[in-house]
Amino acid sequence: MFKTRGFSSRFQLSLSGPLPPDIYSATRLQEISLPSNNLSGFISDNIVNLTRLAKLELYGNTLAASYPAISLTMIDLLENDFTGNFPASLYSCKSLRAIRLGGNRLEGEIGTDVVQLKFLSFLSLSDTKLTNITKAIKILMHCKALNILFLPGNFLQEAMPTNDNIVGSSGFTNLRLLSLANCQLTGQLPIWLSKLKNLEVLFIHGNRIRGSIPGWLSTLPKLFFLDLDNNLLSGEFPKELCALPALVSHNL
């Protein structure tokens, strides 16, 4: 049942219960945006009838279902009750540009079919139960349009992949933000990060990374934000980082 929360200086609507079945007959619908409510139950497979639906924004509910294989450009189902492996049906949504599925109970590995999402620029899978960070990096580096990649709270206690060749010269060519925070990753900071020449923001906090802070981080020409807090790093702060191009002011 849909219920209203009441009136204040700003109208607020609090929805509860399942999505109404009539919504799947609205074939001209282009957007569903009902975040932060108390919606529950399953998203019907009939959602495939909404052939014009481009944006599905239902974060902050307790919905569960199979994922729709339709012409979406954005799907935001953050903090719901989805379970199982990363949904393979999303790989057929060729127009997808943004996926946010964090805070669900996903598990398993990211499949190679994600490379088919040619326009995918934003991917957030924070705080799920994904495994095999090495495979994930090898696959995701081929997503050429990827700008933002949030993977915190996954790959728990795995080793940070250190193979220099895990990222090729054409990998992550447009990546601007990478988060591998709070994964309890072990090992050292890998030199393949130095290949991410468009990287601006790097979150590695909340891991078990050892060793010293490498001076080669200064070779990232656009890096301006680096968070290495709550690791097991030791040694001196490398003076090379003071010369990061994005931190140097030319107005002095």
Side-chain angles (χ1 to χ4, degrees):
M1 178 183 296
F2 281 23
K3 301 176 181 179
T4 57
R5 181 178 298 164
F7 292 90
S8 61
S9 58
R10 181 178 179 182
F11 180 73
Q12 292 181 317
L13 188 66
S14 180
L15 307 179
S16 62
L19 288 171
D22 291 349
I23 200 170
Y24 304 114
S25 301
T27 55
R28 295 186 179 183
L29 200 62
Q30 297 181 24
E31 178 180 334
I32 298 176
S33 182
L34 297 169
S36 301
N37 281 283
N38 294 306
L39 298 173
S40 58
F42 286 82
I43 298 175
S44 170
D45 290 340
N46 290 329
I47 199 171
V48 298
N49 297 330
L50 308 183
T51 56
R52 298 187 183 185
L53 188 67
K55 181 178 179 181
L56 183 61
E57 189 177 51
L58 295 169
Y59 63 85
N61 289 286
T62 56
L63 292 163
S66 58
Y67 295 79
I70 49 182
S71 299
L72 291 169
T73 58
M74 190 274 273
I75 184 167
D76 189 343
L77 296 173
L78 177 77
E79 295 179 355
N80 273 280
D81 199 26
F82 293 90
T83 60
N85 295 327
F86 185 87
S89 59
L90 290 184
Y91 300 143
S92 61
C93 298
K94 305 298 185 183
S95 299
L96 267 175
R97 297 178 182 272
I99 298 175
R100 193 161 77 140
L101 295 175
N104 284 283
R105 292 182 290 157
L106 301 178
E107 58 188 13
E109 302 176 356
I110 294 177
T112 55
D113 294 341
V114 73
V115 180
Q116 297 178 20
L117 304 178
K118 302 296 184 182
F119 303 105
L120 185 65
S121 62
F122 181 99
L123 178 60
S124 177
L125 299 172
S126 55
D127 298 310
T128 56
K129 296 182 179 179
L130 295 177
T131 58
N132 199 337
I133 184 175
T134 298
K135 181 179 179 182
I137 295 298
K138 285 182 177 180
I139 291 172
L140 292 171
M141 76 166 185
H142 294 293
C143 295
K144 301 299 184 183
L146 201 58
N147 290 155
I148 310 295
L149 179 57
F150 281 102
L151 296 174
N154 289 290
F155 318 115
L156 295 182
Q157 301 183 29
E158 293 186 21
M160 176 74 82
T162 56
N163 185 347
D164 295 352
N165 297 321
I166 191 173
V167 174
S169 58
S170 61
F172 288 127
T173 52
N174 292 300
L175 194 65
R176 296 168 50 203
L177 183 151
L178 173 62
S179 178
L180 292 172
N182 300 320
C183 296
Q184 301 179 42
L185 296 172
T186 62
Q188 297 183 334
L189 286 173
I191 197 170
W192 55 262
L193 288 171
S194 66
K195 298 180 180 180
L196 312 185
K197 296 304 184 183
N198 284 308
L199 195 66
E200 300 174 6
V201 179
L202 178 60
F203 295 109
I204 305 287
H205 59 274
N207 286 291
R208 298 178 181 178
I209 302 298
R210 295 181 178 273
S212 59
I213 300 174
W216 50 253
L217 284 169
S218 64
T219 65
L220 294 171
K222 298 184 179 181
L223 186 68
F224 70 87
F225 191 97
L226 173 64
D227 192 342
L228 300 174
D229 197 22
N230 290 322
N231 276 284
L232 302 175
L233 296 166
S234 59
E236 298 181 352
F237 184 84
K239 61 181 183 299
E240 293 93 336
L241 291 188
C242 297
L244 274 168
L247 296 182
V248 175
S249 174
H250 298 285
N251 297 321
L252 297 178

